[in-house]
Amino acid sequence: DTGVSQDPRHKITKRGQNVTFRCDPISEHNRLYWYRQTLGQGPEFLTYFQNEAQLEKSRLLSDRFSAERPKGSFSTLEIQRTEQGDSAMYLCASSFQSGSPLHFGNGTRLTVT
Amino acid sequence: AQTVTQSQPEMSVQEAETVTLSCTYDTSESDYYLFWYKQPPSRQMILVIRQEAYKQQNATENRFSVNFQKAAKSFSLKISDSQLGDAAMYFCAYRSLEEETSGSRLTFGEGTQLTVNP
């Protein structure tokens, strides 16, 4: 097991384009989280899945953002009509159960030009 | 809502010396978890140490230990015998035990950039 995997590591896109990121959690982990981190700040919670169910969404997650975890394994985060303010590091994390620590991936750095 | 504050944007320490990173938090809950995560330039967030609020004993992990002051809502990290590999951004984080409302998500502080000088 190689831990939480995120793809791509970097994405540069033009404003107005759609982007999609993928996260593969640790295989036995049923909980999956997306966070956003801007330069010099701590990560901010975006959304959380338990298996395939999306149980919580932050107010930070505007209508342009959508996340899925269709089979309770990998997850995708899509941003439609990207804006410059979307430029950030998008981190994925997973955990096994309540009380377990979160394991983070390397993140996807998005730059919107 | 819970908040986490790290008042030291940057800290530096000489190799082999000891450094303490500060963290305070605000919550109305009585039971919760506190964490310190490390984020090196390679950027993967790595768990350093974890403290359960109901435990009075301070957590330790090798050269890393915490000073947990529940009444003061303070949770500092002490790194002993600092090594060059300790250089990273350190984040303090809070997690509620209220699963129904928080889903185990973490609330992070702003981070402290630690430099280790040879």
Side-chain angles (χ1 to χ4, degrees), chain A residues 37-43 91 104 109, chain B residues 6-11 21-22 35-49 64 77 79 83-93 108-116:
Chain A
Q37 186 179 20
T38 53
L39 197 62
Q41 298 296 314
L91 296 170
F104 284 84
R109 183 176 295 285
Chain B
Q6 293 178 249
S7 58
Q8 305 156 315
E10 298 177 346
M11 291 284 284
L21 308 184
S22 300
F35 303 85
W36 279 98
Y37 277 86
K38 168 186 177 181
Q39 189 176 40
S42 67
R43 74 190 188 201
Q44 185 172 29
M45 198 81 72
I46 302 166
L47 177 66
V48 174
I49 200 165
F64 299 87
L77 175 69
I79 306 174
Q83 300 175 359
L84 295 177
D86 294 334
M89 181 73 87
Y90 285 81
F91 291 99
C92 178
F108 287 88
E110 307 92 334
T112 296
Q113 181 67 50
L114 178 66
T115 301
V116 181

Side-chain angles (χ1 to χ4, degrees), chain A residues 19-32:
Chain A
V19 294
T20 300
F21 311 140
R22 177 179 170 124
C23 171
D24 288 88
I26 294 172
S27 58
E28 64 267 25
H29 286 185
N30 60 7
R31 295 164 179 239
L32 187 147

Side-chain angles (χ1 to χ4, degrees), chain A residues 39-60:
Chain A
L39 197 62
Q41 298 296 314
E44 296 172 295
F45 170 79
L46 291 179
T47 191
Y48 153 64
F49 290 86
Q50 186 165 330
N51 299 312
E52 66 275 9
Q54 188 174 18
L55 297 186
E56 191 178 358
K57 292 171 62 174
S58 164
R59 284 170 289 183
L60 293 174

